Amino acid sequence: MLEFFSPVIQKALLAAGITTEKAIQIEQPSDKKFGDFSTNIALLCAKECRKNPRELAQALVPYLLFPPDTVASIEVAGAGFINFYLSPLFIMRSVEQVLFDGDHYGKGVLGIGKSAIVEYVSANPTGPLTIGRGRGGVLGDCIANLLETQGYKVTREYYFNNAGRQMQILGESVRLRYLELCKQVLEFPTTHYQGEYIRDIAETIYAQYGETLEKSDELSFFKTSAETSLFNSIRQTLQRLGIRHDTFFNEHTLYLADESGMAANQRVIDALHEKGFIDNYDGATWFRTTKLGQEKDKVLLKSSGEPSYRLPDIAYHITKFERRFDMIVNVFGADHIDEYPDVLEALNILGYDTARIKIAINQFVTTTVDGKTLKMSTRKGNADLLDDLIDDVGVDATRLFFIMRGKDSHLNFDVELAKKQSKENPVFYLHYAHARICSLLRLALQERAFDPHNSVHHHLLRKLSSPSEIQLGFALLDYPDVVKTSLRLLEPQKMVEYLHSLAELFHRFYQECPILKAETDICTARLLLSVATRQVLRNGFSILGVSAPESM
RNA sequence: GCCCUUGUAGCUCAGUGGAUAGAGCAACAGUUUCCUAAACUGUAGGUCGGCGGUUCGAGUCUGCCCGAGGGCACCA
């Protein structure tokens, strides 16, 4: 709605002879008695105009000229707020727009002609996905969906590493478990992967090859088997959640020489060296972050000559620029919070426009079962496996619970609540609203041969005027703004909250207004309002990646 | 010790420097001759962790203190 109000306010300021640098802000007051929308522009300008904000607001009002039948009234209130009330006609006309746009309602043009990359999950294949990773996965997936609604061409990328020390340890862990199956007595080191899944992989190998591999010192077979198995498991889990990736970027490619005969990692060292940010001491190569005010330099090349994780990270991000993405979104968990400032610093030094990069960090998840909070543990048991959670509460609850709180909040996943078949459970409440509308429309088809796709009666919506109808219509009109806000803040939680309030408004409308029992025109209008509500619920669900059940 | 996130109603959480701090759930009291009561309406519930500072105005910005989670490797 900013696009609607802003130009009018801009003109009014001009007409009233007020010049200001301040950006126009439009907000929805928490209380309807302060209008449908309001602006604080008079308060913002009061100081530089050296005028009382209330007087300034009063002076502005005569110049606020909106198209006919849009804004019903304008009031000055409080310290100098200007409050706008929309006309019911305007609201109902926008409901017609919802019906007209259908699946496209809420789409925008912000990203048309632009490309975006969203990197998420990015777990190395050293174990099955944990609940914590799941939150980031769903968050990333929703952000990618949001970008697509605005016309961005989105690449969903998974960055992983199947080389290096962790993978060696993984292979060794599997080999040791295999040897145990061959009745060898040995000590399993605490530094190795303890998970039950290691035994499973070893058993599969044992079942297939018996003890024929017992004498082999060759690790790579065990490593490769483990990697293949775990990567499959990860991808299967993601698939269950409806999370897909377009590209898998292997960190290892950054170590290999390209056409120019040089590895991407080496090019980063050279480029940083040229800028004077490389130093060699203690046998290692360092990124001189002390020059940037940090306490310590950071190792790029270890004394063994191998890159530390930081170097390929920088090189990897450079590829995102080289691949010419207009927007670069990185989604990762709080455990990687210290990683990105160094990467950004390096990119800045090398002259890349880091304003294109957006970072979404999600805090961790604790699960509550029977009122008891379990802390996530990667070591023993499989209580923190994402697959187990999905088995337990289902895909929709898993997805929705992960994003129904702000990403910065330390999420408390109440497993009991997620399984409840009642209003307490937000998943259920949202589903029910949708199913209820579907059921209503099935009946309307039977009793009145109502066709939701027939547009000849759309104008009847303008006959609706009761508070619950107007409020519902108003909420529908708000949807495109909610999409934009969710994207701007990288926060799909805003969408969840919105859809919940939309469901609530629908239930109230349904309760207060008889639909099929109403006289013909009103009945049709109310059915159309219901169709529009269902449309917006569906559009929102599809961004969140939850299903839209037709009956329950 | 340092860094990041966080502390708002009994619980889970919103809150973009602005109006009397909001929502959901739980609690309590009501609503079905009627399209899904798997719902709706109403009531009650607060020292915004604490103490200062910035300004016309602070839950929001800032300083310190306290609590919670995470991170501080030549691991990724």
Side-chain angles (χ1 to χ4, degrees), chain A residues 400 429-430 433 479 482 493-505 533 536-544 546:
Chain A
L400 201 80
Y429 189 73
L430 289 181
Y479 175 75
V482 176
Q493 185 239 355
K494 300 292 169 209
M495 180 58 72
V496 180
E497 222 172 54
Y498 165 81
L499 292 174
H500 194 277
S501 73
L502 183 64
E504 193 168 33
L505 287 169
T533 305
V536 171
L537 286 173
R538 277 183 183 169
N539 294 3
F541 288 172
S542 100
I543 288 173
L544 302 180
V546 302

Side-chain angles (χ1 to χ4, degrees), chain A residues 281-429:
Chain A
Y281 54 86
D282 294 345
T285 302
W286 301 79
F287 179 23
R288 295 179 64 189
T289 42
T290 45
K291 246 181 130 173
L292 302 161
Q294 293 195 28
E295 276 182 28
K296 283 188 285 187
D297 288 338
K298 303 289 166 63
V299 173
L300 293 181
L301 287 176
K302 305 185 237 174
S303 49
S304 65
E306 291 170 313
S308 79
Y309 69 90
R310 230 174 286 269
L311 178 57
D313 251 15
I314 296 167
Y316 171 50
H317 276 85
I318 289 174
T319 73
K320 292 180 181 176
F321 282 95
E322 285 171 346
R323 287 183 277 165
R324 298 185 176 279
F325 289 109
D326 298 298
M327 190 191 281
I328 297 166
V329 182
N330 299 331
V331 181
F332 43 67
D335 53 336
H336 284 237
I337 211 154
D338 278 345
E339 182 174 322
Y340 76 95
D342 295 336
V343 173
L344 290 185
E345 294 281 19
L347 292 171
N348 270 328
I349 289 166
L350 299 179
Y352 294 99
D353 176 18
T354 49
R356 287 188 199 175
I357 302 181
K358 313 245 181 263
I359 313 276
I361 293 173
N362 64 280
Q363 288 296 324
F364 281 141
V365 182
T366 51
T367 48
T368 305
V369 182
D370 297 329
K372 274 183 242 161
T373 299
L374 307 175
K375 229 171 92 178
M376 238 177 64
S377 156
T378 34
R379 283 175 295 109
K380 46 190 284 183
N382 47 6
D384 67 330
L385 291 189
L386 185 52
D387 259 327
D388 293 346
L389 183 69
I390 302 170
D391 288 342
D392 206 13
V393 305
V395 170
D396 284 337
T398 302
R399 286 193 65 116
L400 201 80
F401 272 59
F402 276 149
I403 49 170
M404 74 181 189
R405 304 295 176 226
K407 59 184 183 293
D408 286 333
S409 85
H410 303 260
L411 179 67
N412 192 333
F413 197 117
D414 186 334
V415 175
E416 306 301 314
L417 179 62
K419 285 192 281 193
K420 261 187 200 159
Q421 308 281 298
S422 75
K423 172 181 181 170
E424 295 162 67
N425 181 352
V427 182
F428 210 82
Y429 189 73

